[in-house]
Amino acid sequence: MIPEHYFWIVFVVIALTMFIVDIYATEHRDEKIRLKTSLFWSGIWVGTAILFGVLIYFFMENGQSKAVDYITGYLIEESLSVDNLFVFLMIFDLMKIKDANQPHILKWGILSAIVMRIIFIMAGVALIERFHFIIYIFGFFLFYAAYKMISSSGENDIKLEKNFLLRFLYKRFNVIEVYEGKSFILKKNGKYYITNLLVTLLLIESADLIFAIDSIPAILAVTRDPFIVITSNILAVMGLRSLYFALAGLANLFAYLKYGVALILFYVGVKMLLTDIYKIDSMISLFFIIGVLATSIVISIMKNKTDKESKKKRR
């Protein structure tokens, strides 16, 4: 069996290579990334994540159980990310960011998110190991996150005029609201200005901070192995750029996904609360999550088909 530190090296090489290739393929485009291209790169990222799971399964000590935990954690993070990307879609629309600049903002947003997630994961693992009762706080927090997801209207409730971060930025800095380039900071007539791109990036980062508070406890309910938690989380996050543009073209396929994600959050909350009483087998968790996600997507597709048929009958 291959020692874990070699897997860290393999992971860094794979993730870094993939990210550089992805950036090179999309960063220099001046037009909107098309659905076909985004689906292709989403498939590449998912395939890379699965390939890494296969390597864990066959070549790592206790590889079978770790691979199951890795895939389970990856699916949890990916399903949560889909719902979160709808918020990014709103932010870009509200800030009037043109399609060609969105990949540039997402690149820096994802790099910042990776650093943030690693810090959150290591802090979460350390807290649970030092103060075991925190695992129950995480469990109840996941119940609240599930309730919050179900009870949200899904409407655009981002009020720019009431946003604290926006009010702070517009009060403290010179902001260029209409900008066609890709710079975050400009110097004009001896003064420094921040562009609407930087404002949008900070809005996305603040949103991702809230999302991380949901997703990190969820994956820690599956495993507290830092290697599995970090690798599954980061590979899911790094594929978000491609997934975002695929999502923008396939939004109807995810109409009921938030209900499936809420059910998953509730399930992992229960799993976390039962940790000292009964250990739910990792394979059961994996099949449960796959089943819930598949069911929610199938129901969404059926609803979309029914809606189209209803519209045809009205004509």
Side-chain angles (χ1 to χ4, degrees), residues 158-175:
I158 300 176
K159 308 295 184 183
L160 294 184
E161 67 277 7
K162 296 181 180 179
N163 186 279
F164 172 79
L165 178 60
L166 282 180
R167 287 185 302 181
F168 173 79
L169 291 173
Y170 278 93
K171 184 178 180 180
R172 298 290 182 180
F173 300 94
N174 300 310
V175 180

Side-chain angles (χ1 to χ4, degrees), residues 28 33 127 138 147 155 165 174-175 187 198 220 281 283:
H28 303 291
I33 296 178
L127 282 171
F138 283 173
Y147 165 76
E155 297 174 355
L165 178 60
N174 300 310
V175 180
K187 186 177 181 180
L198 180 58
L220 290 178
D281 188 83
M283 191 63 74

Side-chain angles (χ1 to χ4, degrees), residues 34-51:
R34 297 183 179 182
L35 177 61
K36 184 177 180 180
T37 302
S38 59
L39 286 174
F40 171 78
W41 280 104
S42 294
I44 293 293
W45 274 110
V46 171
T48 301
I50 293 173
L51 175 61

Side-chain angles (χ1 to χ4, degrees), residues 264-287:
I264 290 171
L265 287 174
F266 181 82
Y267 169 80
V268 295
V270 171
K271 187 176 187 295
M272 189 165 268
L273 291 178
L274 293 177
T275 188
D276 292 327
I277 302 172
Y278 178 75
K279 182 175 175 59
I280 300 176
D281 188 83
S282 296
M283 191 63 74
I284 293 175
S285 297
L286 176 59
F287 281 116

Side-chain angles (χ1 to χ4, degrees), residues 291-307:
V292 169
L293 292 176
T295 301
S296 62
I297 292 174
V298 168
I299 294 174
S300 298
I301 294 172
M302 292 173 63
K303 179 183 181 297
N304 185 39
K305 184 178 179 181
T306 303
D307 290 345

Side-chain angles (χ1 to χ4, degrees), residues 1-14 51-61 63 227-228 231:
M1 292 292 111
I2 300 175
E4 185 177 293
H5 61 272
Y6 286 115
F7 269 91
W8 278 113
I9 296 172
V10 171
F11 167 73
V12 170
V13 170
I14 290 176
L51 175 61
F52 191 70
V54 171
L55 293 176
I56 292 173
Y57 185 91
F58 285 106
F59 300 108
M60 199 172 195
E61 188 176 353
F227 174 79
I228 298 301
T231 54

